[in-house]
Amino acid sequence: MVIKLPELGALYVDSCRRHGVPSSGGFLSSLFQAELKKSKHEVCVLELLLDHVKDSDFHPLFEVSLKISESEIEAVDVLCESSCALTGEHALSLIRSIGEKLRQVDLQDLAFGKDLLRDLSQGGLQCQVLNLRSSHFRKLNLVGEFMWLHTLNLDYSTTLTSFREDCFSHMPNLMCLSMCETRISNLWTTIAALSKLQALVELRFQNWLCCNDAGSSGSSGGDDQTVPSQPSSAFYSDTSSLNSDLDLSNFMSNERMMNLLRFSLNNYARRRNEESSDDSEVDFSIDLDDGYIDPSTNATLGWNREINLLREVSSAILSNQNGEESFDGAFTRQEGDVSVKYISEHASPICFEKHYRDYMIASIPQLRVLDNLPIRSIDREMANLTFFKHFEYLPYRRNDKESVVSILQKREIRARHTSLRTPKQRPLDPAGKSQYFYTRSLCAAKMGSSPWPSLHSLSISDSDSGNENRSFRPRQFEYHPSNSSLMVFGTLDGEVVVVNHENEKIVSHIPSLGVMNSVLGLCWLKKYPSKLIAGSDNGSLRLYDIQHWPPTLKRTHTGAGSVTFDEFDQLTSVHVNSTDELFLASGYSKNVALYDINSGRRLQVFTDMHQEHINVVKFSNHSPSIFATSSFDQDVKLWDLRQKPIRPCYTASSSKGNVMVCFSPDDQYLLVSAVDNEVRQLLAADGTIHQNFEIPSTGSSQNYTRSYYMNGKDYIISGSCDEHVVRVCCAQTGRRLRDISLEGKTSGSSMFVQSLRGDPFRPFNMSILAAYTRPSSKSEIVKVNLLASTDFSKDFSPGQSSSVSNSMGGPKKKKKKKTVYTGPLVFKLETCSRNATQLFSEEFVEQGSVKFQYSSILMEPAMAQPRSPYCSGKCNGRCQKAAVWDRCIKYCGICCEECKCVPSGTYGNKHQCPCYRDKLNKKGKPKCP
């Protein structure tokens, strides 16, 4: 039997009496308003206002809300416009008790705290519209069930910087998403998260508003355009109108209850009028009843009343005359005799990324409206062209995602056929002639499945010496040229520390001993892999042999294992030539010094090589006499020691001061980085510009940019000291592949890139020396793996690691260490030619990415460790006990995510996996083993 609204009001008043609390005039007035809508044959919507609701009011409201599903109320809107004394736990329980009739939840300017946000994101809601404006999310993680949600508003959530991988996985019906004035900035991770929203048709990171002289099509406040955030509040201003349209005697027959209700309404209205009589920004006089959307309609819910007008305006609204959006907050387009001007309002940082609109349109094909502006077919065509001109979808120009197993199968089949074919036969795959073809294909496949790069803060402690509170402050670092596990870093205190960055153990620790200050120059010797040159900013230069230095200094320092060179004042850079005979030093001067490593003497000082100080000097990788210098006089010069460097071989100029220069691994190119993201690649032979990477500038003259090569000379990585982003670009085409964003330990903390290096042994791996803007914060080395599974980085932000110590060794509260798969990918291969196996090993094993085992089965995946990157802990536990414990990853690797079950891993328990139980193979037989 359907509960009538008068009966619902009586139940509420009776519940208040039983709990000994006064009835809420706000709730009773909401019931009146719902009855009024019902009498006018409108949608019977109950607006449940949480303003001024206390914990003592919870139980009566909770009891009534449980009856709403049985009442004649068609929909419920839960609104919170101002302060609320209700605890987050009670508020969420009250909202969820409404059930399927919950339509809109408006918790803008949330006052319930982070606990409610956490419980809300994990438990989900059944509402259709969710307004979480000004919320305190840092990384959006809405992993609960939001199956009915079609509109989500996160505007003005100024702490929101990024998304968790699965934050939109359980929103199959989400059509409209607004994130104006958030701190979202990364195009790649944003698109990876939004790609889960198959129904998304309207997206907003800013408001484009028409500002013609004839009149504006939008209001000054972008948030005022959002229907979900606009509750109907007109009935607060005057309760007499309710009496004229609704006979109270028909609503409640009990005269005593009528008097109680009138008394509550009058007191509530008087209290609201008194509170709104000051300078409050809340206005209760605006009638927004016509702004509600009928839940039965299939039309797209939009935020903007000017959308229809915008659709009538032709292509003037989308781009300026150069075909790109203007970044000064406005653009104008001439359309016939009409000039239409639009301004941007409440833009998030992502809107200022170059080609932002084109990237979004090309990446979300079903999108129809972006930032209030409709997307036309011509805009989509232009966006696709711009995307393929300036961005790489996958590395090495791969356009389609593939699985690692399929690539390895193709590779092995081709290797078998190649070994059997006659010399006159053409290869099966001409593109596979290169020995690197399948390496690159594997990289593309792994990166395609890992939109969130793995970031790990290198955690080094000095616990071996018994001083766990000891912490290092890195200032410069270098990978070892021949040992893939070693790295050296110099500190601000003059220490030189050699670490195994794989197991995070100290190999050698060389103290400053009061001699060196900040270590700015480090360079390994190639022929003598245990030796390195270290230089500090006070001019001290030394050659160290790390074999003579233990991990900790438990003995008195004797000076053994080091050679001291003549000082070079204000040193900034050192570099050793290819034969380990000479090294160069430069600094805050116009001079460069040449040293003989064998004799320990300074051979010569080349004076006045530039007009301003020389920041970096680099020898070529193969010629022992060729070197390059980069100076803040805007010039890069190439020199030859055989010509007694009086005149450079050539000079190449930048528009700003040069910060970095380095040779490509084959010495074919010079990579030059000038202030504020001016990065260019020159031909080393004559200094001709080969590639200009067109990285957007910030306008800061202090934005010092550093760039290095990665994957040999295939890609470059670039970062600047005023930005928290490292950009990865193709060295041959200049197209952007990916941006890596660094985030601080806490909300509001800013990081910047102090230095970076590409890993010479692992494709698409690098390390970043990241520092905080606060002087008291410690810098840290962050290892980045673009090919790692997304699971590795879910809980990472720099400054957090699984180690007991902090980022560089300080004390940290011990936490439960997560078990993650960090081992190599293992495949069992059928016997094949030794040449084919050796080629596999050269391409993959040496890079630490794949190991191989021989078996009679051609391609049977086997987990190298009990922990698989595809399965949960329960899944692995069951698979380990099974007779054929690799079946789970081979046949049921997806079912963990599809039905959240624990796959059997054996032949007898297949019905435990409902998603695979019903799947059939091509022969019509059950797919699950």
Side-chain angles (χ1 to χ4, degrees):
M1 182 176 178
V2 178
I3 300 176
K4 301 293 185 181
L5 285 174
E7 297 175 9
L8 203 63
L11 288 173
Y12 171 70
V13 174
D14 182 64
S15 179
C16 290
R17 184 188 306 110
R18 284 187 288 104
H19 289 91
V21 296
S23 58
S24 170
F27 181 72
L28 294 175
S29 65
S30 297
L31 288 176
F32 271 119
Q33 189 74 6
E35 180 70 13
L36 178 61
K37 292 179 181 178
K38 180 175 177 295
S39 66
K40 294 181 178 180
H41 304 288
E42 299 176 358
V43 179
C44 185
V45 179
L46 174 66
E47 293 182 344
L48 181 57
L49 291 158
L50 297 183
D51 297 348
H52 306 285
V53 175
K54 303 180 178 63
D55 285 340
S56 58
D57 303 321
F58 167 73
H59 292 288
L61 289 174
F62 182 76
E63 291 179 5
V64 174
S65 64
L66 293 175
K67 299 292 184 180
I68 289 178
S69 59
E70 306 172 20
S71 70
E72 57 186 355
I73 294 175
E74 299 180 60
V76 179
D77 293 344
V78 179
L79 311 173
C80 182
E81 296 176 333
S82 58
S83 61
C84 180
L86 197 64
T87 61
E89 181 181 0
H90 283 167
L92 195 56
S93 299
L94 184 62
I95 294 171
R96 285 179 173 156
S97 66
I98 298 170
E100 296 182 356
K101 291 189 177 181
L102 183 64
R103 185 182 72 166
Q104 174 180 333
V105 176
D106 187 344
L107 300 177
Q108 57 178 309
D109 300 319
L110 192 64
F112 299 105
K114 295 182 179 179
D115 291 340
L116 182 138
L117 284 176
R118 184 184 64 251
D119 296 340
L120 177 69
S121 62
Q122 294 177 357
L125 277 179
Q126 292 184 342
C127 62
Q128 301 175 36
V129 178
L130 181 58
N131 184 1
L132 294 176
R133 282 175 32 183
S134 305
S135 62
H136 302 292
F137 286 108
R138 189 180 176 200
K139 291 186 177 180
L140 195 64
N141 192 27
L142 300 176
V143 296
E145 299 290 338
F146 295 87
M147 305 303 293
W148 299 99
L149 190 66
H150 60 68
T151 301
L152 176 62
N153 190 332
L154 297 168
D155 289 347
Y156 311 112
S157 300
T158 54
T159 60
L160 181 59
T161 58
S162 58
F163 306 94
R164 299 287 188 179
E165 178 183 1
D166 299 323
C167 66
F168 295 125
S169 296
H170 305 290
M171 299 181 185
N173 298 307
L174 188 67
M175 301 172 65
C176 301
L177 177 63
S178 182
M179 290 178 285
C180 295
E181 212 165 296
T182 59
R183 293 177 59 198
I184 301 296
S185 60
N186 193 299
L187 285 171
W188 286 263
T189 55
T190 299
I191 287 297
L194 296 179
S195 63
K196 307 290 181 68
L197 300 174
Q198 299 300 319
L200 185 67
V201 294
E202 185 170 351
L203 178 64
R204 189 172 70 173
F205 284 100
Q206 63 183 332
N207 290 318
W208 280 116
L209 303 178
C210 179
C211 58
N212 286 343
D213 294 337
S216 174
S217 64
S219 68
S220 60
D223 56 302
D224 294 333
Q225 308 299 317
T226 307
V227 172
S229 65
Q230 295 173 341
S232 178
S233 307
F235 58 89
Y236 289 136
S237 59
D238 186 9
T239 58
S240 61
S241 61
L242 296 178
N243 296 330
S244 61
D245 295 321
L246 182 64
D247 187 359
L248 289 179
S249 61
N250 293 330
F251 189 79
M252 289 186 180
S253 58
N254 190 301
E255 183 178 356
R256 180 171 174 271
M257 295 183 67
M258 281 178 53
N259 294 333
L260 175 62
L261 179 58
R262 289 194 181 99
F263 177 79
S264 299
L265 282 173
N266 292 334
N267 286 341
Y268 187 79
R270 183 172 61 253
R271 186 170 66 251
R272 293 299 298 233
N273 289 333
E274 290 173 356
E275 291 173 355
S276 62
S277 62
D278 55 9
D279 294 332
S280 173
E281 296 178 358
V282 182
D283 185 3
F284 299 102
S285 63
I286 304 175
D287 189 357
L288 300 176
D289 289 345
D290 58 349
Y292 284 103
I293 305 298
D294 187 349
S296 63
T297 181
N298 293 325
T300 303
L301 178 66
W303 292 277
N304 313 291
R305 296 180 178 177
E306 72 272 13
I307 279 294
N308 292 333
L309 174 61
L310 289 173
R311 294 187 186 278
E312 295 175 1
V313 180
S314 57
S315 61
I317 57 179
L318 291 181
S319 60
N320 58 18
Q321 296 186 10
N322 295 325
E324 297 181 0
E325 293 176 10
S326 172
F327 298 120
D328 59 359
F331 67 84
T332 304
R333 176 75 177 260
Q334 189 73 25
E335 199 62 32
D337 297 332
V338 180
S339 180
V340 184
K341 184 178 181 181
Y342 287 85
I343 61 171
S344 173
E345 193 174 52
H346 306 300
S348 297
I350 194 173
C351 302
F352 299 96
E353 285 289 334
K354 197 170 185 179
H355 309 297
Y356 145 78
R357 184 175 180 85
D358 294 318
Y359 190 94
M360 287 289 176
I361 294 174
S363 302
I364 311 177
Q366 77 275 13
L367 200 64
R368 297 208 300 264
V369 180
L370 177 61
D371 299 333
N372 296 5
L373 306 181
I375 300 171
R376 305 160 301 154
S377 58
I378 188 174
D379 303 319
R380 199 170 297 281
E381 294 174 4
M382 295 302 297
N384 290 331
L385 292 175
T386 302
F387 181 92
F388 288 110
K389 180 180 179 181
H390 298 282
F391 299 97
E392 274 195 347
Y393 175 61
L394 289 173
Y396 298 109
R397 305 187 189 184
R398 268 53 173 185
N399 295 323
D400 299 309
K401 293 183 179 180
E402 293 185 85
S403 69
V404 174
V405 174
S406 66
I407 294 173
L408 288 175
Q409 286 177 332
K410 293 176 183 178
R411 170 63 181 88
E412 185 62 13
I413 293 172
R414 175 188 174 276
R416 288 170 139 265
H417 289 180
T418 303
S419 62
L420 297 175
R421 66 182 176 87
T422 62
K424 293 184 179 180
Q425 287 178 315
R426 299 181 62 185
L428 297 178
D429 185 2
K433 289 182 179 179
S434 170
Q435 59 176 325
Y436 304 109
F437 176 79
Y438 284 96
T439 307
R440 293 170 174 174
S441 297
L442 276 174
C443 289
K446 295 177 73 174
M447 187 174 289
S449 62
S450 304
W452 275 263
S454 169
L455 281 78
H456 172 68
S457 192
L458 191 63
S459 179
I460 305 297
S461 65
D462 199 10
S463 57
D464 293 337
S465 63
N467 185 9
E468 294 187 357
N469 294 327
R470 179 77 172 85
S471 61
F472 300 108
R473 301 189 298 163
R475 178 57 184 85
Q476 188 60 275
F477 74 97
E478 293 286 348
Y479 283 99
H480 195 281
S482 58
N483 190 329
S484 63
S485 63
L486 293 186
M487 174 191 292
V488 60
F489 65 84
T491 71
L492 293 171
D493 302 312
E495 300 163 294
V496 176
V497 183
V498 180
V499 299
N500 185 323
H501 61 87
E502 294 177 351
N503 60 21
E504 301 185 345
K505 299 293 184 181
I506 297 177
V507 177
S508 296
H509 178 204
I510 305 169
S512 64
L513 304 175
V515 177
M516 303 184 75
N517 289 348
S518 298
V519 178
L520 301 182
L522 289 169
C523 190
W524 291 94
L525 273 64
K526 302 173 184 63
K527 293 185 178 180
Y528 306 95
S530 65
K531 296 182 179 181
L532 61 91
I533 301 287
S536 67
D537 58 0
N538 67 351
S540 176
L541 276 166
R542 287 197 175 190
L543 171 68
Y544 293 106
D545 191 336
I546 63 174
Q547 292 181 345
H548 294 83
W549 296 87
T552 58
L553 294 177
K554 298 182 179 179
R555 57 177 174 80
T556 304
H557 172 62
T558 61
S562 66
V563 176
T564 303
F565 298 91
D566 293 339
E567 293 185 356
F568 187 90
D569 291 338
Q570 297 181 302
L571 180 142
T572 59
S573 171
V574 296
H575 201 244
V576 180
N577 71 349
S578 59
T579 58
D580 288 348
E581 297 173 347
L582 307 171
F583 77 88
L584 293 166
S586 66
Y588 285 99
S589 70
K590 305 173 185 178
N591 308 330
V592 171
L594 178 67
Y595 293 83
D596 184 279
I597 296 178
N598 295 324
S599 65
R601 295 188 304 109
R602 183 167 62 195
L603 299 180
Q604 193 172 355
V605 175
F606 307 115
T607 60
D608 297 326
M609 303 188 80
H610 283 269
Q611 299 299 314
E612 294 187 25
H613 77 263
I614 301 169
N615 194 53
V616 169
V617 58
K618 293 284 185 181
F619 269 113
S620 69
N621 295 300
H622 300 284
S623 174
S625 60
I626 300 296
F627 68 95
T629 56
S630 66
S631 170
F632 279 89
D633 65 0
Q634 304 181 9
D635 288 340
V636 168
K637 297 182 179 182
L638 190 76
W639 308 84
D640 191 338
L641 290 175
R642 294 168 297 184
Q643 299 177 358
K644 295 183 180 180
I646 300 174
R647 293 183 179 178
C649 300
Y650 62 78
T651 300
S653 298
S654 304
S655 64
K656 301 171 185 176
N658 293 304
V659 181
M660 268 297 306
V661 64
C662 65
F663 287 85
S664 63
D666 60 0
D667 289 341
Q668 184 178 359
Y669 303 108
L670 276 175
L671 185 62
V672 180
S673 308
V675 172
D676 203 17
N677 294 328
E678 184 181 344
V679 182
R680 298 175 302 149
Q681 183 172 256
L682 313 178
L683 294 177
D686 56 7
T688 303
I689 296 178
H690 173 262
Q691 188 62 245
N692 189 347
F693 293 96
E694 298 182 354
I695 299 175
S697 61
T698 64
S700 171
S701 60
Q702 306 299 317
N703 189 30
Y704 301 115
T705 302
R706 296 169 176 85
S707 304
Y708 286 88
Y709 284 98
M710 183 178 67
N711 294 20
K713 64 175 183 178
D714 294 338
Y715 286 87
I716 67 109
I717 54 177
S718 180
S720 302
C721 68
D722 273 357
E723 298 177 274
H724 68 288
V725 175
V726 172
R727 299 171 176 90
V728 182
C729 302
C730 177
Q732 297 303 311
T733 64
R735 301 198 298 175
R736 292 261 291 280
L737 173 65
R738 191 71 56 86
D739 283 2
I740 298 103
S741 300
L742 300 175
E743 298 179 15
K745 300 177 183 178
T746 58
S747 177
S749 59
S750 300
M751 302 191 73
F752 62 88
V753 179
Q754 197 165 19
S755 187
L756 73 168
R757 298 288 189 278
D759 192 320
F761 302 97
R762 300 167 182 84
F764 293 106
N765 277 250
M766 72 185 80
S767 289
I768 304 168
L769 178 59
Y772 290 85
T773 54
R774 296 191 304 269
S776 59
S777 299
K778 297 180 177 66
S779 56
E780 54 193 67
I781 298 175
V782 180
K783 295 177 63 177
V784 180
N785 184 357
L786 293 170
L787 305 181
S789 169
T790 55
D791 291 340
F792 293 172
S793 59
K794 279 185 177 180
D795 296 312
F796 172 84
S797 64
Q800 300 173 355
S801 71
S802 59
S803 177
V804 174
S805 58
N806 67 8
S807 60
M808 294 309 300
K812 185 176 181 180
K813 186 177 180 181
K814 188 172 182 179
K815 296 182 179 180
K816 185 177 180 181
K817 187 173 182 179
K818 291 190 175 182
T819 304
V820 295
Y821 176 79
T822 57
L825 179 64
V826 179
F827 285 93
K828 296 179 181 179
L829 302 178
E830 187 181 7
T831 55
C832 59
S833 66
R834 282 292 165 184
N835 292 334
T837 306
Q838 184 177 6
L839 185 56
F840 260 106
S841 301
E842 290 175 355
E843 292 184 359
F844 307 120
V845 177
E846 293 181 358
Q847 299 174 10
S849 57
V850 177
K851 288 187 178 179
F852 294 88
Q853 298 175 353
Y854 291 99
S855 173
S856 59
I857 303 175
L858 175 63
M859 273 297 179
E860 181 181 21
M863 289 183 280
Q865 296 183 11
R867 176 66 179 174
S868 160
Y870 303 96
C871 306
S872 65
K874 293 181 180 179
C875 195
N876 282 282
R878 185 179 296 275
C879 290
Q880 276 185 289
K881 296 177 182 178
V884 191
W885 71 292
D886 60 356
R887 295 292 182 186
C888 169
I889 183 175
K890 184 175 182 181
Y891 296 100
C892 299
I894 307 174
C895 65
C896 305
E897 297 298 325
E898 286 194 5
C899 67
K900 304 299 181 183
C901 71
V902 179
S904 61
T906 67
Y907 290 94
N909 301 326
K910 65 182 181 181
H911 293 294
Q912 293 182 1
C913 178
C915 58
Y916 264 62
R917 176 190 62 202
D918 302 326
K919 289 187 177 181
L920 302 177
N921 59 19
K922 295 181 179 179
K923 297 181 180 181
K925 296 182 179 180
K927 188 172 184 179
C928 193

